Amino acid sequence: MQFATPRGMSRRHFLNHMAVGGAATLGASQFLQHLQANAAEVQKNQRACILVWLGGGAPTIDMWDLKPESKNGGDFKPISTKGDLQICEHLPEIAKVMDKMSVVRSMSTREADHTRGTYFMHTGYVPNPTVVHPTFGSVVSYELGAKRKDLQIPAFVSVGGGGMDPGFLGMSNAPFVVDAQGRIQNADMGQDAGRLGQRLTMLEAVEDSFINSKRGDSGKAHKDIYIKARDLMTSTQMEAFRVDQEKPEVRAGYGSTPFGDMLVMARRLVEKGVPFVEVRNPNGWDLHNDVFNTLRRTNLPNLDKGIAGLVNDLKARGMFENTVVICMGEFGRTPRINQNTGRDHWAQSWSVLAGGGGLMGGRAIGKTDADGLRIESESYLPSDLWATVAHSLRIPLDTVHTSKNGRPMKIANGGTPIKDLIG
Amino acid sequence: MNLVRFLALSMVSTVLCFSVAEAADGKSDRPVRGGDPVVDEINKYLRQGWTDNEVEPSPEADDSEWLRRVYLDVVGHIPESGTVEKFLSEKNSGKRRELVSELVEDPRFVRHMTTVWANVLIGRNAPDRTSREGLEKFLRESFAKNRPWNEIVYDLLTAEGHFEQNGAVNFILGQLTGNPNRDDYAVEATAKATKIFLGMQVQCTQCHDHPFNDWKQNQFWEFNSFLRQVRRRDVDKYDAASGRNVDDYSELVRRDYEGPVYFETRQGLMKVAYPKYFDKEIDSGKKTNRRQQLAEVMAKSDGNQQVARAFVNRTWGHFMGYGFTRPVDDMGPHNPPSHPELLDFLTEEFVKSNYDVRQLVKWICNSEAYHLTSQFNPKNEIDNPSIGEIPLFSHMYVKALTVEQLYDSLIVATNADQAGKGSYEDAQRQKEVWLREFMRIFGGNEDDEPTLFSGTIPQALMLMNGDLTKQAISPDKGAFLTTVLSSPKLRNDNQRIQALYISALGRIPSRAEYAKIEKVMRQAPSPIMAYQDLYWALLNSNEFVLNH
């Protein structure tokens, strides 16, 4: 495993070295106090969001909103849960924690193309050729990142693959992408900490004249990033990425699968104070063929243990009330089952799982008709979902960002928090 | 390393070092820039702006500062060490103007312009079933022949056919997705074409009259109606290996469309729009080739010369860090330019030159403002557009390197692609791998003025610890650093340090810098490590990643 903890030198030695070299902005003792202030208590009260992304578009009609009486119903039976709703029989562990989570059954989002749907669900905006809207993790990073003074990990981490665009909020709010094993590219210099210190000291000697030469702020901005990169490379917080340090029984609670471990990592990151973590479910959900076998054999058991494990673990650590958990993909799938026993893309009436962070649990919010084709209640957009998350994270809903071409943009596209979720 | 000897040597200035130090002190002769009537006019307009705003321009940049800048802006990467040494030692007072003339004729200028415009037209991540290679080939051939800009625009607007055989189709192809029978099929193409070629942002008027510019909703749809006779055709082929159909090629074809387009106002009223470019109406019958008509009026007979104006504004922004408007592609009465008369004048001259792209570049690069140092002076501190002030161009603005400039500059500074024993093909393959990584980590499609370092931690980590940097400072035989350190021409540490500075930063270190570096080098466990740290620091420095 690639990892950035300094080797061959104690942390204290390293910090002293840095201080002597003149590259450290914080003295060693100050720095250590900082670390102590990082104790669990501080982060416990910090709000966070974990987005579990089911890329490809999950068949929510088979998961959260079953239609057993309809020809669209498919193979699965509903089962009762600890909440006031029924879900799929292949999600028995989630059923046990369903008093804590709710299902919004009336999402209606009109974008049934993967790229457009992914964009819409992440940003709350439909794609527009001339503005790139920030994915909501970037919004949270922008709003809360600077307030987490002790946080050395970037404020928006994406676990398990491609991140989304920070848009007009800029690359400093881009997702910090790590793979499923928590490996961070280029985090290791392959040298001991002494060399890192030596190099940064040299860097300062080389570039100070430019910074001091009155050419504007770019030089300083560059230096700030290097300080952040150095802090990250040497930070004890990097342990958050090391799921292998977790007790085996904790990992077992999440199913001991790659997906389960990604969620363990998300919880560890939130514990360190990271306000937004996106976890990409490694199973493919674009189920045009053989939907029921795929769900039964792999996708659902994997999801079931992972989500239930996450909810239980957050609860056990007293973090659930401060951590919103959202589980969704870019759209649902057609109620009609196609000739390949699959379902195609469907954005008109589908479901999202949400809970934690003070949101109501155990509820089915919104209603689709008997065949799952139409919504028979108020329908919701991704903007409403993100407004709900913003509400939970205590980000004011009247926040406005300005795009690069000067257009004012309401946070979460001016959506309204979903009443039945916020209680 | 023998540190005593190093110290002693670092006290002795070389002849080269001395002459540059003198230039930096402002004692050397300041060559008269200009001599071309257009350049003289540019200078006049800018000077007027300085006087009116009571600022004084910064001194002229020294040769190394200017050389690095003109290389990055015109050919897309830093100058090679040999170029730097040669340029610094030349005494000819016309050498800067000569160099500009040489560089715009250089194939690397064509390559750089191709990259810049492919990014503007379809973005760094080409949309699905769009051929970036095809578009690049079209641009490369156009810039290589120095075709007039309005003809290039004409082709991009009217092209039909296969996306590799006629690469110009890719601009519109890249904007077309979804159902061709839907009203919004050509909406993105409309928004992009007006934004890029006319410098006008009309996308908001798709749904309503613009809140703060002159565009009305009907104008958006009038413009859009020109682009209704277009459709993409995606052709698949059977792949025997997988037994499935896979992408083959795409093409842009003409489709029948006649009559007006319909749009809905915010109040729910349906309205019609006929093809109309500002006040010029086009026959909406079936026989009219609307795109051709649009291209005619836009690129060839527009009394407002908006295509020329938009290009001048964007090109000025490319070289000077800021255009006359901000952003460069949002022009109009709601957003007055910083130097309206200069913009008019340059637009006029650009049209008179028959839209000569190289000539425009030469005018800008020979202007007085382009030669100023990027250092503020006490009398022009208010000229700071990065905090929202109107640019006065009284000093050069610092620009962040684009990902392509950064990557190519790293290759130039390190010869990293040539290290190792592999063949030319292996080296090319390695370069591709690195470039893909760079694109992933530095990429992004932000096409606004890159005036601030948009640094992120992954970017910093890549420059600190990535393979390219590792390769550059590797102690292995054949690696760049090893080559420099073992060069028989470099006889002492002073010369070696200087060689590294020239190859990374294009300049000679000052005496104070020698002293500081020496002090740090002394702490290194071995001489080779000291040099590795130095070169690592040079490649990671702000001065390296910024174009100043």
Side-chain angles (χ1 to χ4, degrees), chain A residues 26-291:
Chain A
L26 292 171
S29 61
Q30 223 183 335
F31 200 94
L32 290 170
Q33 277 169 11
H34 234 69
L35 295 178
Q36 280 146 9
N38 254 355
E41 286 312 307
V42 180
Q43 283 89 28
K44 258 190 188 172
N45 299 318
Q46 289 179 338
R47 301 236 150 205
C49 176
I50 296 173
L51 168 64
V52 180
W53 184 253
L54 310 180
T60 58
I61 190 171
D62 298 314
M63 297 158 68
W64 316 118
D65 189 14
L66 278 71
K67 301 292 173 188
E69 309 299 325
S70 166
K71 64 181 184 316
N72 296 336
D75 288 3
F76 302 154
K77 292 185 194 63
I79 52 167
S80 295
T81 68
K82 273 186 86 180
D84 295 331
L85 74 164
Q86 293 191 315
I87 62 170
C88 172
E89 59 182 322
H90 299 294
L91 297 169
E93 297 302 318
I94 294 181
K96 290 181 203 157
V97 298
M98 221 38 232
D99 56 329
K100 303 185 184 76
M101 302 293 288
S102 290
V103 173
V104 181
R105 284 178 171 162
S106 54
M107 296 300 293
S108 184
T109 55
R110 68 185 180 248
E111 296 292 349
D113 167 81
H114 289 296
T115 313
R116 294 180 65 89
T118 301
Y119 187 98
F120 193 34
M121 290 311 296
H122 275 87
T123 65
Y125 288 86
V126 291
N128 175 305
T130 49
V131 186
V132 182
H133 303 94
T135 180
F136 206 75
S138 296
V139 172
V140 173
S141 157
Y142 181 82
E143 288 295 323
L144 301 185
K147 294 182 183 163
R148 308 272 161 108
K149 300 279 182 233
D150 300 322
L151 185 65
Q152 289 164 329
I153 299 168
F156 171 18
V157 180
S158 176
V159 182
M164 292 287 296
D165 205 305
F168 58 75
L169 292 179
M171 290 296 278
S172 53
N173 292 296
F176 187 67
V177 178
V178 299
D179 70 10
Q181 286 77 43
R183 282 181 298 225
I184 297 157
Q185 223 177 354
N186 300 319
D188 189 358
M189 184 170 270
Q191 300 287 338
D192 67 34
R195 286 308 291 291
L196 173 60
Q198 175 78 10
R199 284 191 183 166
L200 289 166
T201 307
M202 182 65 96
L203 181 60
E204 191 161 35
V206 164
E207 70 174 10
D208 260 15
S209 67
F210 189 84
I211 289 178
N212 298 329
S213 68
K214 290 195 157 219
R215 293 175 207 258
D217 298 330
S218 315
K220 178 74 172 50
H222 174 267
K223 184 168 182 163
D224 288 347
I225 289 294
Y226 272 71
I227 289 169
K228 279 192 191 167
R230 174 207 68 193
D231 287 351
L232 180 78
M233 283 168 72
T234 57
S235 171
T236 55
Q237 291 179 9
M238 292 286 274
E239 288 172 9
F241 294 102
R242 299 199 52 181
V243 174
D244 58 355
Q245 290 187 344
E246 197 72 43
K247 289 192 188 104
E249 53 268 34
V250 173
R251 291 167 78 180
Y254 290 72
S256 297
T257 59
F259 174 62
D261 282 351
M262 290 158 85
L263 292 175
V264 173
M265 200 189 308
R267 190 268 293 155
R268 289 171 67 90
L269 286 161
V270 168
E271 239 175 348
K272 294 282 183 222
V274 176
F276 197 101
V277 183
E278 176 165 348
V279 173
R280 297 274 171 126
N281 182 284
N283 292 106
W285 293 87
D286 194 16
L287 301 168
H288 291 279
N289 303 304
D290 199 18
V291 57

Side-chain angles (χ1 to χ4, degrees), chain A residues 130 171 185-186 189 195 198-199 202-203 207 209 211 213-216 222 225-226 233 404-405, chain B residues 195 201 203 374-376 381 437 440 446 448 455-456 462 465 513 520 529 533 537 540-542:
Chain A
T130 49
M171 290 296 278
Q185 223 177 354
N186 300 319
M189 184 170 270
R195 286 308 291 291
Q198 175 78 10
R199 284 191 183 166
M202 182 65 96
L203 181 60
E207 70 174 10
S209 67
I211 289 178
S213 68
K214 290 195 157 219
R215 293 175 207 258
H222 174 267
I225 289 294
Y226 272 71
M233 283 168 72
K404 296 242 163 95
N405 55 13
Chain B
K195 180 171 131 105
Q201 301 209 1
Q203 64 280 359
S374 55
Q375 274 185 285
F376 290 81
E381 271 164 10
E437 267 305 283
R440 201 174 62 70
E446 294 174 66
D448 45 50
T456 67
M462 181 169 204
N465 308 327
E513 284 175 317
V520 184
M529 286 185 183
D533 293 348
N540 276 279
S541 69
N542 48 30

Side-chain angles (χ1 to χ4, degrees), chain B residues 20-44:
Chain B
V20 168
E22 193 181 53
D25 293 342
K27 282 176 202 152
S28 69
D29 289 344
R30 193 164 158 163
V32 182
R33 303 280 163 230
D36 176 311
V38 175
V39 174
D40 292 343
E41 280 297 292
I42 299 175
N43 295 345
K44 202 187 82 190

Side-chain angles (χ1 to χ4, degrees), chain A residues 206, chain B residues 68 72 78-81 84 401 409-410 412-414 480 497-507 534-541 543-546 548:
Chain A
V206 164
Chain B
R68 189 175 191 273
L72 283 164
I78 60 171
E80 301 82 355
S81 318
V84 177
L401 300 193
S409 297
L410 275 169
V412 168
T414 62
F480 176 78
I497 291 170
Q498 180 172 308
L500 295 181
Y501 257 82
I502 287 179
S503 81
L505 304 182
R507 69 174 177 88
L534 173 61
Y535 207 50
W536 180 92
L538 288 169
L539 296 176
N540 276 279
S541 69
E543 199 175 335
F544 186 80
V545 301
L546 297 170
H548 48 96

Side-chain angles (χ1 to χ4, degrees), chain B residues 61 67 81 147 256 260 285 315 462 472 488 529:
Chain B
L67 180 72
S81 318
R147 295 182 62 206
D256 287 341
T315 307
M462 181 169 204
M529 286 185 183

